[in-house]
C-alpha cells in the first residue's frame, strides 16, 4: 500500500528529503548485494541511456569496455585482445562478445582481427585511444555525471514500470545506464539524484521493505516529453499573473510559433490547458489512431491551444475543447501516452472548477 510519499505535496523540507535519500541508498546497496549473490542477470548492453555523454555516443557497457581494452593494451602494446574475458568479468551472461566488438568497430574505435573463427580479438584504433582519453576527462565532470544519472534513472523507472508501480532502485545499478563515462555511478551520486528527483516531484518514496520508489504523474510527463530532467525542471512556472510558457511549440501544435508567453489576470489559469494541447499534439502520432481520427484530435488540440493562449480565455470553451480531447482519447486509448493525456485533461478540468 502506498504511503504519503509524495515529498513535494506533503511539505517535507530539503533536509528531510536528503535524509530519506541517504537511507534509501543504504537500503539500495544492501538490496544490490543480495541481488548480486543471486546472480541477477544484467540488462543487455545494447540498451543505452537517454543521454549520450561520452564520445561517439558510446555509452553504458561499451564505454566500460573501451577503458578495459585500454588497461589490457598497456600489458600488451599493439597486440590484439580477446574480448571474451570482458563479459565474464562483469558477469554479463547474455552478452555476445563478438557483438560488443562489432559495436565498437562500427564507431571505428577498435580494429577486429578478422579470420575464419569467431571475431573476438580486437585492438584500439587511434580514434579509440582518443575516446579513452576523453572518457577519462569526462569522468571529472561531476555535474555531467549527475545529469546523466537523473536522466537514466528516470527513464529506467518509466520503462520498467510505466504504470507507476513501485520499483527497487537497486535494480537500476545493474543496468547500462548506471555507468557514466565507463565508470559505475557511486552511492553518493545515486543519493543526490534520488533527492533531486523527489524534491522536484518526479518520483515518490514508497514505504516498503526493501524501500522502493515510483514515478509521479509529473515524472511520467517528463519521461514522455523526451527531454532531459533539467529541461523539465527549468521550465518557467506560472506566477500570480499566470505566466504561461509553451517551449518549442513548433511541431507540437502545428502552425504555432516556437515560443509563447501570456500574462492573464482575469482569474483563469490556462497553463494546464496549454500543456494539455501541446502534449496531445506531440503524442498524437503514437496513439494508434486512424489518419482521420488523428487529424480531428490535432484539430481540437489546436482549438484548445488557440483559446488558452488568447488574451481572454473563455472558461466554457476551455471546458468544451478539453472534454472533446478527453472523449477522443478515451475512445481510442490503449496506450500509456493516451492514459497520461486523459489524466492531464482531468487535471485541467478540475482546476477550472476551483
Amino acid at each position: 500500500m502506498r504511503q504519503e510519499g509524495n515529498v513535494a505535496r506533503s511539505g517535507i523540507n530539503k533536509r528531510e528529503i536528503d535524509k530519506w535519500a541517504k537511507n534509501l541508498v543504504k537500503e539500495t546497496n544492501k538490496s544490490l548485494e543480495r541481488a548480486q549473490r543471486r546472480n541477477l542477470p544484467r540488462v543487455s548492453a545494447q540498451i543505452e541511456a537517454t543521454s549520450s555523454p561520452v564520445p561517439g555516443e558510446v555509452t553504458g557497457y561499451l564505454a566500460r569496455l573501451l577503458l578495459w581494452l585500454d588497461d589490457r593494451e598497456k600489458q600488451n602494446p599493439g597486440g590484439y585482445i580477446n574480448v571474451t574475458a570482458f563479459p565474464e568479468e562483469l558477469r554479463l551472461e547474455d552478452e555476445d562478445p563478438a557483438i560488443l566488438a562489432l559495436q565498437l568497430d562500427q564507431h571505428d574505435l577498435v580494429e577486429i582481427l578478422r579470420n575464419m573463427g569467431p571475431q573476438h580479438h580486437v585492438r584500439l584504433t587511434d580514434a579509440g585511444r582518443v575516446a579513452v582519453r576523453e572518457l577519462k576527462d569526462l569522468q571529472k565532470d561531476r555535474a555531467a555525471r549527475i545529469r546523466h544519472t537523473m536522466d537514466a534513472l528516470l527513464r529506467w523507472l518509466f520503462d520498467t514500470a510505466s504504470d507507476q508501480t513501485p520499483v527497487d532502485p537497486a535494480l537500476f545499478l545493474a543496468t547500462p545506464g548506471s555507468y557514466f563515462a565507463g565508470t559505475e555511478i557511486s552511492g553518493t551520486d545515486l543519493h543526490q539524484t534520488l533527492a533531486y528527483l523527489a524534491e522536484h516531484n518526479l518520483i515518490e518514496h514508497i514505504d516498503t521493505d526493501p524501500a522502493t520508489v515510483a514515478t509521479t504523474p509529473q515524472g511520467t510527463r517528463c519521461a514522455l516529453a523526451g527531454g532531459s530532467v533539467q529541461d523539465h525542471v527549468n521550465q518557467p512556472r506560472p506566477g500570480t499573473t499566470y505566466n504561461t510558457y509553451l517551449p518549442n511549440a513548433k511541431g507540437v501544435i502545428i502552425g504555432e510559433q516556437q515560443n509563447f508567453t501570456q500574462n492573464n489576470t482575469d482569474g483563469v489559469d490556462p497553463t494546464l490547458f496549454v500543456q494539455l494541447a501541446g502534449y496531445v499534439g506531440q503524442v498524437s502520432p503514437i496513439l494508434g489512431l486512424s489518419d482521420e481520427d488523428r487529424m480531428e484530435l490535432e484539430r481540437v488540440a489546436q482549438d484548445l491551444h488557440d483559446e488558452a493562449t488568447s488574451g481572454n480565455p473563455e472558461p466554457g470553451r476551455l471546458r468544451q475543447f478539453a472534454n472533446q480531447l478527453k472523449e477522443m482519447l478515451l475512445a481510442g486509448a490503449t496506450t500509456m501516452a493516451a492514459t497520461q493525456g486523459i489524466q492531464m485533461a482531468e487535471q485541467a478540468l478540475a482546476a477550472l472548477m476551483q
Side-chain angles (χ1 to χ4, degrees):
M1 178 178 179
R2 291 198 179 192
Q3 306 295 320
E4 193 62 33
N6 188 325
V7 291
R9 290 194 296 269
S10 58
I12 299 178
N13 60 35
K14 289 186 178 181
R15 181 175 297 178
E16 291 173 316
I17 292 175
D18 189 68
K19 181 179 178 181
W20 160 74
K22 284 183 178 179
N23 290 334
L24 181 57
V25 169
K26 290 180 181 178
E27 292 299 319
T28 293
N29 290 335
K30 293 178 183 178
S31 180
L32 182 61
E33 290 173 2
R34 292 193 294 266
Q36 288 175 333
R37 286 196 294 269
R38 294 194 300 269
N39 293 320
L40 176 71
R42 287 178 178 258
V43 180
S44 168
Q46 298 179 54
I47 303 175
E48 300 295 352
T50 303
S51 57
S52 296
V54 296
E57 297 186 353
V58 176
T59 58
Y61 299 146
L62 292 179
R64 178 71 179 267
L65 175 55
L66 272 179
L67 297 178
W68 183 87
L69 288 171
D70 180 60
D71 288 337
R72 296 303 182 279
E73 188 178 69
K74 292 175 183 177
Q75 303 168 16
N76 182 26
Y80 285 88
I81 302 164
N82 189 346
V83 296
T84 56
F86 174 74
E88 293 173 0
E89 289 184 14
L90 266 69
R91 292 189 293 177
L92 306 178
E93 293 88 352
D94 298 329
E95 290 301 331
D96 183 345
I99 297 299
L100 295 175
L102 283 172
Q103 287 180 295
L104 289 181
D105 180 60
Q106 288 177 346
H107 291 284
D108 296 322
L109 300 177
V110 300
E111 176 185 342
I112 298 177
L113 178 60
R114 303 185 185 277
N115 52 33
M116 298 301 293
Q119 298 176 358
H120 293 159
H121 292 78
V122 306
R123 65 183 178 189
L124 290 172
T125 62
D126 289 342
R129 295 184 185 92
V130 171
V132 167
R133 174 60 182 271
E134 292 177 355
L135 283 169
K136 292 180 178 179
D137 289 341
L138 189 59
Q139 289 171 7
K140 304 171 187 177
D141 190 339
R142 176 166 172 76
R145 185 166 64 251
I146 296 299
R147 288 194 301 269
H148 165 81
T149 307
M150 291 190 299
D151 294 339
L153 177 58
L154 187 64
R155 176 178 171 181
W156 175 80
L157 284 171
F158 177 79
D159 289 342
T160 302
S162 58
D163 57 352
Q164 300 173 16
T165 300
V167 179
D168 182 354
L171 301 179
F172 168 72
L173 298 178
T175 70
S178 66
Y179 286 85
F180 172 79
T183 59
E184 293 179 325
I185 290 169
S186 69
T188 301
D189 296 333
L190 183 60
H191 153 231
Q192 185 171 344
T193 295
L194 289 168
Y196 189 89
L197 294 178
E199 179 186 345
H200 291 279
N201 193 27
L202 299 176
I203 64 172
E204 60 180 339
H205 167 236
I206 311 301
D207 189 12
T208 55
D209 185 18
T212 56
V213 298
T215 54
T216 63
Q218 189 79 259
T220 299
R221 201 171 300 141
C222 176
L224 285 170
S228 69
V229 169
Q230 283 298 289
D231 289 340
H232 178 84
V233 169
N234 291 335
Q235 287 185 27
R237 300 299 183 216
T240 55
T241 58
Y242 301 141
N243 297 312
T244 303
Y245 178 64
L246 180 64
N248 195 24
K250 186 175 182 181
V252 176
I253 295 297
I254 300 171
E256 280 302 314
Q257 65 277 20
Q258 277 195 309
N259 298 294
F260 171 81
T261 303
Q262 177 196 49
N263 294 325
N264 172 37
T265 57
D266 293 332
V268 176
D269 182 359
T271 304
L272 295 178
F273 293 96
V274 175
Q275 292 174 348
L276 170 62
Y279 174 80
V280 170
Q282 184 179 25
V283 303
S284 62
I286 64 172
L287 295 178
L289 301 175
S290 66
D291 289 344
E292 183 179 354
D293 289 342
R294 179 180 59 80
M295 291 177 63
E296 177 64 13
L297 183 71
E298 291 179 353
R299 184 192 66 78
V300 177
Q302 180 71 66
D303 289 343
L304 175 60
H305 186 266
D306 291 344
E307 183 65 31
T309 57
S310 65
N312 186 24
E314 207 283 308
R317 288 177 60 80
L318 293 176
R319 184 181 299 106
Q320 172 191 344
F321 296 137
N323 275 320
Q324 288 179 1
L325 288 180
K326 179 182 175 181
E327 290 172 2
M328 284 187 282
L329 290 170
L330 283 169
T334 57
T335 66
M336 186 62 192
T339 301
Q340 180 65 26
I342 293 168
Q343 293 175 354
M344 292 176 67
E346 291 174 344
Q347 291 173 358
L349 291 167
L352 197 61
M353 300 296 293
Q354 295 177 357

